Amino acid sequence: MNEHVKSAALAERKVSAKMSDCVEIEFRAVTKLYGALAAVKDLSLSVRRGEFLTILGPSGSGKTTALMLLAGFVAPTSGDIVISGRSVASVPSYRRDQGIVFQSYALFPHLSVRRNLEFPLEMRGVKAANRANQVGRMLDRVHLADYADRMPSQLSGGQQQRVALARALIADPPFLLLDEPLGALDRKLREQMQIEIKSMHREFGKTTICVTHDQEEALSLSDRIVVMRAGRIEQTDTPEALYDRPATRFVATFLGEANLFEHSEFELRTDLDQPPNTVAIIRPERVRIAAPTAPTCPDQHLRQAVSGTVEDMIYAGPLRRYQVRVGRSTVVVREHVASGQKIFYPGEAVRLDWLRSDLRIVAE
Amino acid sequence: MLQKLTRAPFGLTLPSFTLLLMVFGVPITSLLFMSLNAPDWSFVNYQRFLSQSANIYVLLQTIEISIGATAICLVIGYPTAYLIVTAPERQRTVFIVLVLIPWLTSGLVRTYAWTVILGDHGLINNVLVASGLASSPVPLIYNRFAVFVGMVHIMLPMMILPLLSVMYNIDKSLVAAARSMGARPFTAFWRVFLPLSLPGVRSGSLLVFVGCLGFYITPQALGGLRETMLSKLIVNQLLVSANLGATAATAFVLLAVTAVVLSIFGLDLSGSRERVRGAVGTKRRSWLSAQGAMGRWFNELGTSWRASRWQRQLYRAAAQVRWVEFAGAGFMTVVMVYLLVPGLIVIIMSFSAGDFIEFPPSAFSLRWYVAFFEDSTWTTSLSNSVEVAIDVALLATATGTLAAYGLGRMSPQSRSILTMMILMPITFPVVIVGVAAYYGLFHLHLIGTKTGLVLAHSIGANAYVVVIVAATLANFDRRLEQAAMSMRAGPLRTFWRVTLPLIRPGILGGAVFAFIASFDEAVVTSMISGYSIRTLPLRMLENVTQQIDPSIAAVGSLLTLLPVLWLFVLYVLYWRSRGKPQRAHAQAEA
């Protein structure tokens, strides 16, 4: 979609990030133990000013602990956290300047929308007149001006989410933490909110750290993604790079779908030098499906072909998903639906091919 | 026809309401008429009551003592509940059990324990005199102080438990959110936690206040002659005078006080917390907003100071505040000692080898237990109590379970009205329930019979069963029944095979509560036993003030240990059956 825009913006940021003073938040070898259990192990990470960074991982990967550490709700067992050049490891949450959107929003149920938004301003000693001003402006910005005197329970999920976002932004903190910001919304609203968050980020330019287990959320929102697993960082990169060049099998399968070819699974003349303890992967949308008799393309010498039998075909709107039996393994193929396309039904013999350059070798 | 009736939700509540109407509803209505001098209709009974300054004095004193006890309970109970909720999981469970134990222990025994502790030759005075701190016994008993000590001791769990249930459900991330926005710990508590815990404060205070209004044994045993409560007056009138109209008028004055308090603060026992809160909220918005405006004005005064502090303290590290933890631990220790030590003293004393009550005992023996079991008047009363309690448990569990099941399938409106009616026997001051039951059973010629006792106890026990089973049903997934029915199980078979096994812990829990409620009952019992049936608490009541026969300590010890045993049974029923999957779930989450 807007991948070009994204990567352009990213390139711009990368240039500016060369200057070290642009590092806003830094984890320095942070470890957090709960009893003997390490929720976060030796975590080192720096977040640049204005960046949208997502910490992505399954439950138990330590991503929530990382957020709690950053928010000041728990103190690290060892290591240090530095925000704008100041060590904050033992600074309690209420003495940090931050905005947090909580997982279930944590809107105060006994306060109206207006009073909810006023709260962080009040705590910072903003005078009543100024508060009213700022709240009014922020409510206009999130299109909730008519709802100022409603209670949170009288709002829809999407409206609550916008109030939570507004409340986190209103005191103009230097950075924003989002904890599974879209987890509670249904699919349609999620897409709307993704756009909303994105545009808020563009408009306010806040350094944003988002914690989620939802890869789609991570891919669409972030400048950079940190994939965590069992308290450690698995890989850090831009969404495109992560998707395109995953470093490990875990990243490859956690982020999107991947066909994994074990070393000896079937005759795979990869040309690539595949060291032991690695797997070759290819994304389903990089695999082309054709009838065995179809004429080959001119670039066929760059391609690798195998033949198989269609096991299953699922039609999913813009996509068609095939499951093709090749030897002893199953290859998933995702094809964009286009007019005049040949559709293959279960039982049909097909030829699959892909560019050799699309194969990736990743660590097991 | 019958099948249709039992299938309908209203039909299921029928047994409960038959019981309720027979023992409570009809008699209290006719008492109301009688107090109004029907069929002549006049206020003569009320005029007579109000014209006596002694009555007014007792009425005001009753309200005064009840308010005082409620306030003390709140001041002690709120921090206790807060500390319990914020304690680590394992400690929390221990504390809840420690609060539940005295709650399940007979109030009579606890009152007795205080007479032993506070008496002129009691524990404290013995220590004071022996150590030379006081030359003669300090008057600790037979005054207002002792009344408060005893009443608060009995009512404190009633304050803590509703507070706990509300506080437990406050989303912890709200306080975290407040802190992340710059609220200091106390501010986060004051602005977020406290307002959200107010429903618990309200229900706890109401329960305690109404409970206090109905008290008469504790003030009688611990207070002087001046500390008479209205309920004492009612019991005296009932047992001494033949004028039921006058007694009824006194009872309705007490009920009116209760009704006024309940209507001001709103009764909320039906479990429909959200809706009631919403209704109350709209009614009193103006009052609240006036109060809020004032609070905001004060708040505004500190603005510039807060602004400068925010600048000054931003990113400043904070030292761990240790003394807060120590203060909390100290407070909890004092509260737990207060709650538990009286019971422990009774238990220890009961093993005394001496001829008189003494603490600590110079030697230990089982002689008073032997004396207890050899004295046929004690053993008869014990078997009376057990017999009645078992019958009550059986009857109330049957009617209460059916009613709870029926209530669960009604529209919310009829459910809340009917639930309120079913809960009347435990929301009204107990002495009023006693008067009504007395009158109802008198007409059924059941005064002084076991059947009468069982019926009178069952109306309250029924209410407990409804509350507990309804709570269990609320967690029961109705779709499981639909699933069973989709597999061709009829309604009866569905109930038997799916619903019943899943709500069994609630039913058994209800049965246990019904048993305890009946076994410990002294007030209603004293009014309707007609001196012919002696239950254990009744026998004990006769001896409480005497303090001479140490076998009373043995009885007290039995009455104290029995609920602990029951608590263990409950623990096995509830936590074993539910805790495990939940714990596994929690681990998966973490």
Side-chain angles (χ1 to χ4, degrees):
Chain A
M1 28 174 230
N2 54 355
E3 277 167 0
H4 293 291
V5 181
K6 199 192 279 176
S7 52
L10 194 77
E12 208 173 285
R13 275 203 194 98
K14 266 186 177 161
V15 173
S16 64
K18 291 249 166 62
M19 294 173 286
S20 60
D21 64 343
C22 283
V23 173
E24 171 104 353
I25 297 164
E26 210 180 340
F27 280 78
R28 292 184 185 155
V30 173
T31 297
K32 176 67 193 177
L33 299 174
Y34 286 110
L37 190 86
V40 165
K41 271 176 254 167
D42 200 23
L43 180 75
S44 291
L45 174 69
S46 41
V47 187
R48 302 180 197 106
R49 183 158 299 165
E51 187 176 29
F52 196 120
L53 180 108
T54 297
I55 301 177
L56 176 68
S59 60
S61 60
K63 59 183 192 315
T64 303
T65 306
L67 185 91
M68 299 300 253
L69 285 163
L70 197 47
F73 295 134
V74 295
T77 311
S78 67
D80 199 2
I81 299 169
V82 177
I83 297 175
S84 309
R86 273 167 301 214
S87 163
V88 296
S90 53
V91 175
S93 185
Y94 56 90
R95 287 186 188 163
R96 298 181 180 197
D97 196 6
Q98 61 195 356
I100 304 183
V101 176
F102 285 81
Q103 185 165 14
S104 47
Y105 313 140
L107 298 179
F108 302 128
H110 59 302
L111 301 180
S112 65
V113 169
R114 184 194 305 285
R115 307 275 297 143
N116 259 287
L117 292 193
E118 272 187 48
F119 196 92
L121 299 174
E122 261 181 77
M123 294 304 130
R124 285 160 170 77
V126 178
K127 288 228 160 32
N130 292 344
R131 289 205 303 265
N133 250 331
Q134 274 173 275
V135 169
R137 248 179 294 141
M138 185 53 90
L139 282 173
D140 280 338
R141 170 63 190 81
V142 294
H143 313 298
L144 285 171
D146 297 340
Y147 297 88
D149 295 310
R150 295 260 188 115
M151 297 311 260
S153 59
Q154 295 167 311
L155 300 179
S156 72
Q159 289 165 339
Q160 290 183 11
Q161 158 87 51
R162 296 215 298 274
V163 174
L165 203 54
R167 191 179 64 173
L169 283 166
I170 195 160
D172 198 28
F175 66 92
L176 200 60
L177 304 178
L178 311 176
D179 188 4
E180 309 259 358
L182 306 174
L185 301 176
D186 60 45
R187 194 177 174 81
K188 198 137 192 123
L189 260 174
R190 289 167 78 91
E191 278 165 18
Q192 276 175 26
M193 287 312 303
Q194 280 179 8
I195 295 165
E196 178 88 4
I197 290 177
K198 210 59 202 161
S199 82
M200 289 279 229
H201 182 238
R202 255 199 311 279
E203 185 182 331
F204 292 92
K206 296 261 179 255
T207 311
T208 306
I209 294 167
C210 172
V211 160
T212 183
H213 68 267
D214 182 21
Q215 42 131 338
E216 198 184 317
E217 202 171 301
L219 286 173
S220 59
L221 291 174
S222 327
D223 297 328
R224 269 197 312 158
I225 297 175
V226 176
V227 181
M228 284 191 73
R229 180 193 188 188
R232 292 178 188 281
I233 294 180
E234 192 87 356
Q235 191 180 359
T236 308
D237 219 324
T238 63
E240 271 185 84
L242 270 185
Y243 187 78
D244 207 35
R245 293 184 297 279
T248 64
R249 180 194 181 130
F250 175 78
V251 175
T253 49
F254 190 69
L255 217 68
E257 210 175 358
N259 290 303
L260 301 166
F261 300 136
E262 305 288 345
H263 209 26
S264 56
E265 207 159 5
F266 60 91
E267 209 53 30
L268 234 194
R269 284 173 296 280
T270 51
D271 300 350
L272 294 160
D273 194 20
Q274 194 177 349
N277 293 327
T278 58
V279 280
I281 70 149
I282 186 149
R283 296 291 182 187
E285 63 274 12
R286 306 280 181 175
V287 181
R288 203 167 60 175
I289 187 166
T293 54
T296 54
C297 298
D299 65 348
Q300 198 61 34
H301 61 285
L302 297 173
R303 290 182 168 269
Q304 201 166 35
V306 293
S307 45
T309 318
V310 175
E311 271 186 341
D312 203 1
M313 188 272 286
I314 295 167
Y315 172 72
L319 292 171
R320 205 171 269 124
R321 187 177 178 280
Y322 291 102
Q323 235 165 275
V324 181
R325 159 85 37 190
V326 179
R328 273 179 293 117
S329 48
T330 304
V331 177
V332 175
V333 182
R334 228 182 283 148
E335 190 185 46
H336 280 277
V337 172
S339 49
Q341 209 170 38
K342 174 149 175 46
I343 301 170
F344 303 97
Y345 293 98
E348 278 188 66
V350 291
R351 188 184 68 211
L352 304 179
D353 60 25
W354 53 81
L355 285 168
R356 287 166 209 271
S357 54
D358 282 342
L359 270 181
R360 303 277 175 249
I361 305 297
V362 302
E364 181 61 63
Chain B
M1 176 62 202
L2 184 72
Q3 189 151 17
K4 225 177 201 173
L5 195 71
T6 51
R7 253 193 239 172
F10 288 98
L12 291 170
T13 61
L14 217 58
S16 269
F17 276 102
T18 312
L19 183 68
L20 194 64
L21 285 176
M22 193 168 69
V23 188
F24 182 73
V26 172
I28 204 161
T29 316
S30 43
L31 277 173
L32 178 64
F33 292 155
M34 206 183 280
S35 76
L36 292 167
N37 214 13
D40 298 335
W41 306 109
S42 74
F43 285 104
V44 59
N45 284 318
Y46 292 92
Q47 278 159 359
R48 207 174 296 148
F49 175 85
L50 294 172
S51 65
Q52 287 182 27
S53 63
N55 288 344
I56 303 288
Y57 175 78
V58 171
L59 174 63
L60 292 180
Q61 179 163 269
T62 304
I63 296 174
E64 191 185 314
I65 290 179
S66 300
I67 290 177
T70 309
I72 298 171
C73 279
L74 186 60
V75 168
I76 301 175
Y78 193 93
T80 309
Y82 181 79
L83 289 170
I84 292 177
V85 168
T86 51
E89 171 108 38
R90 197 159 296 177
Q91 281 181 36
R92 194 191 305 152
T93 316
V94 172
F95 281 136
I96 291 174
V97 170
L98 292 184
V99 172
L100 280 174
I101 288 173
W103 185 53
L104 293 174
T105 312
S106 147
L108 203 55
V109 178
R110 291 193 274 162
T111 303
Y112 165 69
W114 284 113
T115 66
V116 172
I117 294 171
L118 298 174
D120 285 346
H121 301 286
L123 212 57
I124 295 178
N125 272 320
N126 279 352
V127 172
L128 287 180
V129 172
S131 65
L133 282 170
S135 52
S136 60
V138 180
L140 293 170
I141 199 169
Y142 307 130
N143 52 28
R144 188 64 65 84
F145 165 77
V147 173
F148 278 146
V149 168
M151 281 172 78
V152 168
H153 185 244
I154 290 175
M155 298 314 288
L156 191 54
M158 292 292 265
M159 177 64 85
I160 294 176
L161 295 174
L163 279 171
L164 272 181
S165 85
V166 170
M167 287 180 181
Y168 194 73
N169 288 322
I170 294 176
D171 187 354
K172 299 291 168 297
S173 67
L174 292 173
V175 176
R179 289 196 186 198
S180 80
M181 287 177 245
R184 302 162 66 77
F186 180 75
T187 314
F189 168 80
W190 184 253
R191 300 285 299 272
V192 177
F193 193 88
L194 182 69
L196 290 172
S197 65
L198 285 182
V201 171
R202 199 188 59 186
S203 5
S205 303
L206 280 177
L207 282 173
V208 171
F209 183 78
V210 174
C212 286
L213 286 180
F215 256 125
Y216 91 95
I217 291 170
T218 308
Q220 185 192 351
L222 296 174
L225 290 173
R226 293 169 53 85
E227 321 298 325
T228 315
M229 301 276 278
L230 203 54
S231 37
K232 174 68 187 157
L233 200 67
I234 294 171
V235 175
N236 278 353
Q237 280 180 340
L238 185 76
L239 299 179
V240 176
S241 100
N243 187 353
L244 256 178
T247 313
T250 319
F252 280 105
V253 168
L254 182 61
L255 190 56
V257 174
T258 315
V260 166
V261 172
L262 288 186
S263 64
I264 289 175
F265 295 101
L267 177 64
D268 178 21
L269 286 163
S270 51
S272 50
R273 194 171 290 135
E274 289 306 318
R275 208 158 32 75
V276 172
R277 192 196 294 162
V280 170
T282 50
K283 219 187 294 168
R284 285 185 292 149
R285 176 138 312 156
S286 56
W287 179 76
L288 272 177
S289 68
Q291 206 195 30
M294 205 161 81
R296 244 169 278 166
W297 184 77
F298 276 112
N299 194 32
E300 209 52 34
L301 292 178
T303 300
S304 57
W305 177 70
R306 268 207 301 276
S308 74
R309 185 182 63 189
W310 170 258
Q311 288 300 330
R312 213 169 48 240
Q313 295 193 334
L314 191 62
Y315 291 117
R316 180 144 2 129
Q320 299 277 333
V321 213
R322 265 294 147 86
W323 67 268
V324 174
E325 282 168 38
F326 283 125
F331 181 82
M332 278 310 264
T333 314
V334 171
V335 171
M336 291 299 148
V337 164
Y338 172 61
L339 279 177
L340 297 168
V341 162
L344 278 179
I345 285 176
V346 171
I347 292 172
I348 295 171
M349 228 161 40
S350 68
F351 293 103
S352 160
D355 290 334
F356 300 99
I357 284 188
E358 52 173 357
F359 189 90
S362 41
F364 290 94
S365 81
L366 286 174
R367 62 180 285 197
W368 298 111
Y369 288 88
V370 175
F372 170 80
F373 283 108
E374 277 174 353
D375 184 341
S376 69
T377 58
W378 280 116
T379 48
T380 323
S381 58
L382 175 65
S383 70
N384 278 341
S385 278
V386 171
E387 238 173 88
V388 169
I390 287 176
D391 289 349
V392 168
L394 291 175
L395 177 63
T397 307
T399 58
T401 303
L402 287 177
Y405 196 71
L407 289 170
R409 324 193 128 216
M410 285 177 194
S411 66
Q413 289 93 335
S414 29
R415 176 172 38 208
S416 64
I417 292 171
L418 292 187
T419 308
M420 224 167 77
M421 288 166 72
I422 285 181
L423 296 193
M424 274 180 186
I426 56 172
T427 44
F428 277 25
V430 60
V431 69
I432 293 174
V433 179
V435 172
Y438 175 83
Y439 187 61
L441 296 173
F442 180 77
H443 277 265
L444 297 168
H445 306 292
L446 288 172
I447 294 291
T449 63
K450 263 184 200 147
T451 318
L453 266 188
V454 170
L455 289 177
H457 287 180
S458 290
I459 51 172
N462 176 61
Y464 285 120
V465 174
V466 168
V467 170
I468 293 168
V469 175
T472 316
L473 275 173
N475 293 325
F476 172 75
D477 189 350
R478 186 55 62 76
R479 281 170 305 182
L480 294 172
E481 287 183 340
Q482 291 167 349
M485 297 214 192
S486 77
M487 293 172 227
R488 301 200 49 120
L492 210 62
R493 190 186 291 229
T494 302
F495 181 80
W496 197 249
R497 296 284 299 274
V498 177
T499 318
L500 191 62
L502 286 169
I503 64 171
R504 194 178 290 141
I507 295 176
L508 292 175
V512 167
F513 265 88
F515 185 94
I516 293 176
S518 162
F519 196 77
D520 282 346
E521 220 303 312
V523 178
V524 176
T525 316
S526 72
M527 296 163 84
I528 59 169
S529 69
Y531 299 112
S532 53
I533 298 202
R534 296 282 169 82
T535 62
L536 202 52
L538 221 52
R539 266 284 289 171
M540 187 151 174
L541 184 60
E542 288 164 11
N543 289 298
V544 157
T545 39
Q546 298 171 12
Q547 288 186 53
I548 297 161
D549 180 3
S551 59
I552 198 172
V555 182
S557 157
L558 287 177
L559 284 174
T560 308
L561 289 173
L562 199 71
V564 177
L565 182 77
W566 279 122
L567 198 67
F568 181 73
V569 173
L570 280 177
Y571 171 81
V572 172
L573 288 177
Y574 268 98
W575 277 270
R576 285 283 296 277
S577 65
R578 303 168 146 211
K580 268 186 189 153
Q582 268 175 7
R583 220 171 297 145
H585 183 66
Q587 271 165 3
E589 289 274 281

